[in-house]
Amino acid sequence: MNATSPAAAPISIAPGREAPLLRPMLVTGRAYKHMVILLTGVISWGAFCFIYQGFIGLGLTGLRRPVFWAFFITDFVFWIGISHAGTLISAILRLSSASWRYPVTRAAEAITVFALGIGGVFPIVHLGRPWLFFWLAPYPNARMIWPNFRSPLEWDFFAISTYLTGSALYLFLPMLPDLALARDRSQGWRHRLYRFLAMSWQGTQQQWHRLELAIQLMAAVVIAIAVSVHTIVSWDFSMAIVPSWHSTIFGPYFVAGAIFSGIAALILIMAILRRVYHLEDYLQPKHFNNLAKLLLTMTLLWGYFVFAESITTWYGNLPAEMPAFWSKISGHYAPLFWAMVLCNFVIPFPILAIKRLRTITGMVIASITILIGMWLERFLIVVPGAATQRFAFDNWYGYFPHWTEISISLATLAAMALLYMVFSKLFPIISIWDVVGQAPAPTGEGIAEPGPGGAP
Amino acid sequence: MLIDLNVCTGCSACVVACRAENNIPITGAHEAARNGTIQWLHIDRAWSGGQDDFSVESRPITCQQCDAAPCEPVCPVLATYTNSEGLCVQVYNRCVGTRYCALNCPYDQRFFNWFDYQWPTPMEVQLNPDVSRRTRGVMEKCSFCSQRVLAAERAARSEGRPLREDEVQPACVQTCPAQALLFGDLADPDSRIARAWRHPRLETLLEELGTLPRVRYVRRQDAPGAEALQPGAEDDE
């Protein structure tokens, strides 16, 4: 199993340089175990709530006519948005050969896969009969019934499954050399696991060349998929004739919002990783600083989109649109709306724009407020449009979530944390070959070139 | 279906008949207070005028059975579609409960089964055996009493004759004491409804959305602005 010749080593690497990056996988502290128990408890509670809701019926939730969508759809859009961290950050940085990306990409790609998995659960949780969710899949059946390909929800089904496949591949491919390294350094069940996953990676020139090609190709593909996925999620709303949902701006608006919340999630998770796993040497302030600049750009872009969306609605003054609009600006949902503006723009903008405030602590604060603000944004897109008077009929309903909805939503936060913790125990959370490795020989431009060597 | 607002008194007999015919669950006061009721047909009241000199217009509203129904294309599992007779049908067994159709219905005439509803004794013994009880988690809406249409068609087919015009009446039409509701086959050019369909004072709800409803209303003669809008129409009666 141990290759002897240097050319056949999975990664050519200076002795000992990989140890700090492998340590999180090998050393498990007591706090970690306590955290796993706590998170498992929260997730079990959420699962119980879901099963309970399945037996009683969706009447358990705060949903009533005409607010047929609320918390779960908000969570769905929110998590799909978070999932844009990985692809759009790591893939764009990879294609643009930004060399500071090396320690960031793996963490970002993992967020994508887990957030997508969690986001993809919500449309099922939200179904009236969740046990029949597979009817959305076009499988051969005796009654010759196919799903309705005209429905935006059906597009969602394909968009999300495509994105999940693509982003899982995009997470897996750059991990191959690291898996082979782990295979060579481990015993027991871990060795068997890594041997299976490493797919007999030996680090030959040809393998590096193919890997490089595959990663480059997936990076390009995954960007296209990511943009289309959140556009399709936005079309769930803009294809409907519900006033204030029916908006042409929603496609780019949702994609921008997704990248915005994705970067915030990435900064937050990187800060936690850096603290918990003592990765200060790898996740340096310059990486945070670069991400913060991206986040600043997205803050401005988000502010622009909200302004453009609001001003056109207000100026157009269509009778059907105005009840939902005013409920957000000065009515029932105004506190949430202005809290969103505060969280997404007023607080993060100065923190990210002023260099003195752009510390890691500052960025974590900005990221947390942005995550809260983006959740509120999704809520304010979904609910007021459905809840306020639509068209001629005076038929409104003040939505308030039930504790099961809140529990299930919180449980998915715990699920994200738990998945991430387990992932970081099983796989190197920072790409070892990118950061401390040296590729055997330059085989072309781009990713196979030696890492930045920024680490000591 | 044609609904004559001049004749409708707002007595709500149609609402009760609909509930009895179609096994519409009784959701109780608590649900009624939070918009959790199911009513395939309801009377929409529009008040106008001052405190002493007011008038009220009662308008029965039900599924408008749109030709270009916005609820249909959005269903991911094809649980709702326009059938060969032009009805917008809901297939309970196929519905998975995304509730997208309900959001996309501009008339808000789709209802969700939030719970498994029970009928208080002895009301369960009067459930209509021709209509299925809906389980929790599916949408439902007015079907124009399709069970009656089907039964009449079966009877006509077994006797080898075409369906007669007066054979099918939905429960609301049958019950209306003022005969404000008219139901029939628009495909038959000689039917009463086909002739009435050209009435000059007809209106459809939210016509600007282009949903092409198959329910039309005869506007009231004393409706505000009726003369101004249709000066010639007043003389037709």
Side-chain angles (χ1 to χ4, degrees):
Chain A
M1 74 186 193
N2 279 313
T4 44
S5 78
I11 309 169
S12 86
I13 201 165
R17 301 254 337 246
E18 81 285 8
L21 295 175
L22 285 174
R23 197 180 51 218
M25 298 163 63
L26 305 173
V27 184
T28 304
R30 176 181 286 185
Y32 180 92
K33 287 169 186 157
H34 288 169
M35 200 66 192
V36 167
I37 293 170
L38 176 72
L39 293 175
T40 313
V42 176
I43 295 167
S44 312
W45 173 244
F48 165 77
C49 287
F50 172 46
I51 294 166
Y52 179 52
Q53 172 191 296
F55 275 102
I56 300 293
L58 273 172
L60 201 60
T61 63
L63 299 165
R64 286 298 180 277
R65 194 174 70 103
V67 188
F68 288 99
W69 290 3
F71 237 64
F72 295 142
I73 295 296
T74 306
D75 289 333
F76 163 66
V77 182
F78 175 76
W79 280 112
I80 303 293
I82 298 290
S83 79
H84 282 50
T87 42
L88 276 164
I89 292 158
S90 111
I92 288 173
L93 295 182
R94 206 183 283 274
L95 286 185
S96 60
S97 307
S99 58
W100 60 270
R101 75 184 144 83
Y102 294 111
V104 178
T105 49
R106 178 82 39 86
E109 288 151 15
I111 294 178
T112 297
V113 176
F114 299 143
L116 258 184
I118 290 170
V121 167
F122 272 106
I124 298 172
V125 172
H126 136 105
L127 285 184
R129 300 200 289 172
W131 51 93
L132 296 175
F133 74 94
F134 61 91
W135 282 358
L136 267 73
Y139 65 97
N141 59 77
R143 290 170 297 167
M144 311 282 282
I145 302 176
W146 278 65
N148 181 6
F149 293 105
R150 296 182 301 164
S151 167
L153 292 182
E154 190 62 31
W155 309 341
D156 266 352
F157 176 81
F158 287 101
I160 290 166
S161 48
T162 309
Y163 193 24
L164 193 57
T165 315
S167 61
L169 274 176
Y170 187 62
L171 170 69
F172 175 66
L173 279 176
M175 210 153 59
L176 268 179
D178 287 358
L179 288 170
L181 181 77
R183 171 195 65 194
D184 295 352
R185 303 287 164 88
S186 57
Q187 288 91 37
W189 65 269
R190 273 179 184 264
H191 177 72
R192 285 195 296 279
L193 174 72
Y194 297 135
R195 191 178 54 195
F196 173 72
L197 288 175
M199 305 208 302
S200 44
W201 174 268
Q202 295 297 336
T204 62
Q205 285 253 4
Q206 195 185 28
Q207 284 180 334
W208 277 110
H209 177 67
R210 286 185 180 162
L211 182 69
E212 182 190 324
L213 262 180
I215 294 175
Q216 207 78 329
L217 186 70
M218 280 313 296
V221 168
V222 115
I223 289 176
I225 298 177
V227 171
S228 71
V229 164
H230 222 66
T231 306
I232 287 173
V233 167
S234 83
W235 284 350
D236 285 351
F237 304 101
S238 50
M239 291 288 175
I241 59 170
V242 178
S244 92
W245 283 11
H246 192 67
S247 166
T248 51
I249 206 175
F250 268 18
Y253 180 26
F254 271 51
V255 174
I259 302 171
F260 186 38
S261 60
I263 299 173
L266 178 60
I267 290 180
L268 184 62
I269 284 182
M270 273 171 54
I272 295 171
L273 285 175
R274 175 183 152 100
R275 172 68 68 86
V276 173
Y277 290 138
H278 308 293
L279 298 171
E280 285 87 353
D281 292 337
Y282 302 94
L283 300 172
Q284 295 164 357
K286 72 168 180 189
H287 300 121
F288 283 90
N289 198 35
N290 284 339
L291 283 175
K293 284 179 195 163
L294 273 178
L295 195 59
L296 177 63
T297 316
M298 298 316 296
T299 308
L300 290 168
L301 191 58
W302 180 87
Y304 164 72
F305 269 121
V306 170
F307 177 72
E309 164 78 0
S310 304
I311 194 89
T312 47
T313 308
W314 173 75
Y315 196 95
N317 202 22
L318 285 169
E321 304 254 358
M322 295 325 278
F325 177 78
W326 286 119
S327 79
K328 282 192 271 192
I329 300 295
S330 59
H332 187 65
Y333 296 99
L336 292 179
F337 181 84
W338 294 108
M340 169 189 81
V341 173
L342 192 73
C343 286
N344 276 354
F345 197 82
V346 179
I347 296 175
F349 182 71
I351 294 180
L352 299 170
I354 300 169
K355 201 166 185 185
R356 200 160 43 82
L357 296 177
R358 204 161 58 208
T359 57
I360 292 182
T361 319
M363 286 176 222
V364 167
I365 293 169
S367 299
I368 292 172
T369 63
I370 287 170
L371 287 173
I372 296 170
M374 283 310 292
W375 192 92
L376 287 174
E377 192 231 47
R378 274 68 162 95
F379 184 81
L380 288 170
I381 286 172
V382 177
V383 174
T388 49
Q389 182 189 347
R390 311 185 296 166
F391 304 114
F393 307 107
D394 192 11
N395 188 12
W396 58 273
Y397 168 64
Y399 168 77
F400 196 83
H402 190 253
W403 56 262
T404 49
E405 290 169 275
I406 298 170
S407 300
I408 292 172
S409 306
L410 288 178
T412 57
L413 273 178
M416 180 71 188
L418 184 66
L419 283 167
Y420 218 87
M421 285 169 72
V422 172
F423 180 81
S424 68
K425 279 294 153 207
L426 287 176
F427 304 103
I429 197 66
I430 290 181
S431 178
I432 297 174
W433 67 274
D434 258 343
V435 173
V436 296
Q438 298 130 9
T443 54
E445 78 287 1
I447 48 99
E449 282 172 9
Chain B
M1 181 184 285
L2 203 65
I3 299 175
D4 191 344
L5 298 181
N6 292 288
V7 187
C8 175
T9 61
C11 71
S12 296
C14 52
V15 177
V16 177
C18 175
R19 189 170 285 279
E21 169 73 16
N22 290 301
N23 298 343
I24 298 174
I26 294 145
T27 48
H30 177 68
E31 282 298 307
R34 53 184 307 203
N35 241 13
T37 50
I38 297 183
Q39 277 191 308
W40 288 9
L41 174 65
H42 77 278
I43 308 278
D44 191 77
R45 286 193 188 84
W47 299 84
S48 57
Q51 204 163 11
D52 302 321
D53 173 34
F54 62 84
S55 74
V56 59
E57 182 188 82
S58 300
R59 183 191 293 268
I61 296 186
T62 179
C63 170
Q64 303 289 302
Q65 306 285 354
C66 311
D67 252 11
C71 56
E72 287 172 8
V74 297
C75 175
V77 292
L78 285 169
T80 181
Y81 69 102
T82 302
N83 73 3
S84 58
E85 300 188 334
L87 284 182
C88 171
V89 293
Q90 174 73 24
V91 187
Y92 308 126
N93 288 342
R94 180 66 175 168
C95 178
V96 297
T98 67
R99 309 190 288 291
Y100 202 171
C101 54
L103 281 164
N104 223 26
C105 173
Y107 308 99
D108 286 334
Q109 287 309 311
R110 289 180 151 268
F111 300 87
F112 190 68
N113 282 270
W114 300 106
F115 299 100
D116 267 330
Y117 298 105
Q118 301 301 323
W119 276 259
T121 3
M123 293 189 71
E124 80 275 11
V125 296
Q126 68 144 38
L127 288 175
N128 185 351
D130 293 335
V131 179
S132 55
R133 276 175 63 175
R134 280 76 63 182
T135 180
R136 68 180 188 277
V138 304
M139 295 302 305
E140 60 180 69
K141 65 167 197 71
C142 162
S143 65
F144 267 4
C145 288
S146 60
Q147 68 278 4
R148 293 187 173 204
V149 179
L150 289 173
E153 280 176 347
R154 264 198 306 275
R157 206 179 308 125
S158 67
E159 292 167 24
R161 57 172 175 80
L163 193 60
R164 281 197 307 274
E165 192 196 337
D166 52 351
E167 253 178 319
V168 190
Q169 276 192 330
C172 52
V173 178
Q174 181 188 24
T175 309
C176 181
Q179 300 193 348
L181 285 73
L182 179 61
F183 181 82
D185 185 7
L186 277 176
D188 175 6
D190 297 327
S191 65
R192 273 179 72 205
I193 186 108
R195 277 181 273 122
W197 209 241
R198 296 188 287 271
H199 193 287
R201 261 200 339 270
L202 287 191
E203 64 180 6
T204 52
L205 291 181
L206 302 179
E207 191 174 9
E208 68 276 16
L209 294 177
T211 53
L212 307 177
R214 286 191 180 262
V215 175
R216 290 189 181 177
Y217 294 88
V218 183
R219 209 179 309 122
R220 269 167 60 151
Q221 269 178 307
D222 61 347
E227 289 89 345
L229 282 171
Q230 299 266 343
E234 297 304 307
D235 308 325
D236 284 5
E237 292 284 300

